[in-house]
Amino acid sequence: MCLVIAGFLWFMNMLSKKYTDTITFQVQYQHLPQDKKLSPSSATVNVKVVASGFNIAAYTFGIKEALINFDAAQFRHKDNQYLYSLENKTHLEKMEEQLGDMKVIDVAPDTLYLRPIPTQTSN
């Protein structure tokens, strides 16, 4: 019985420490323009974080939903390419707000794009 209690306490102590890990998050795009049909460049982002073992385990085992929201209104429009882009590194603070007690170190891909969906013409 003492070994079981000692093992449990050791495990809890290990989860309370900070770790660096990469977690794959699903991307949800909000406020997409209704007048344009846009296709996102990526449905997921890999986020390198520093967090407690409890937080990392919650995402790893599906206790917390691995989802990050991006506001399409924050994407910059490139006139000559009909392309909208968002550099993830400039929005690390907004990601950290969504993730709570996690410190975001890096994000891949480093830029998300919204490209227009080509319209088919009927002949």
Side-chain angles (χ1 to χ4, degrees):
M1 187 59 140
C2 289
L3 285 175
V4 171
I5 293 171
F8 176 76
L9 292 174
W10 172 83
F11 183 69
M12 297 304 283
N13 182 43
M14 294 305 291
L15 285 179
S16 68
K17 294 181 180 179
K18 297 282 185 185
Y19 295 95
T20 301
D21 198 8
T22 300
I23 303 172
T24 301
F25 287 90
Q26 296 294 318
V27 176
Q28 181 175 351
Y29 297 92
Q30 299 177 330
H31 305 114
L32 288 169
Q34 296 298 321
D35 60 337
K36 298 176 182 145
K37 295 186 188 265
L38 298 173
S39 172
S41 62
S42 180
T44 61
V45 290
N46 295 317
V47 182
K48 187 174 184 179
V49 297
V50 174
S52 72
F54 289 111
N55 280 338
I56 293 173
Y59 284 105
T60 302
F61 296 117
I63 297 167
K64 288 185 179 179
E65 185 178 20
L67 180 70
I68 291 184
N69 296 310
F70 286 99
D71 186 357
Q74 300 295 316
F75 281 61
R76 292 187 316 194
H77 183 255
K78 296 185 177 183
D79 294 324
N80 58 348
Q81 297 177 355
Y82 300 103
L83 182 73
Y84 294 84
S85 67
L86 177 74
E87 293 181 15
N88 291 331
K89 292 186 180 192
T90 61
H91 293 280
L92 292 181
E93 288 180 15
K94 291 182 182 182
M95 285 187 230
E96 286 178 349
E97 287 174 8
Q98 294 181 49
L99 299 178
D101 295 333
M102 300 177 119
K103 173 76 175 148
V104 177
I105 304 298
D106 193 26
V107 182
D110 63 346
T111 305
L112 294 175
Y113 297 99
L114 294 173
R115 293 180 173 92
I117 298 173
T119 56
Q120 296 179 356
T121 58
S122 58
N123 293 339

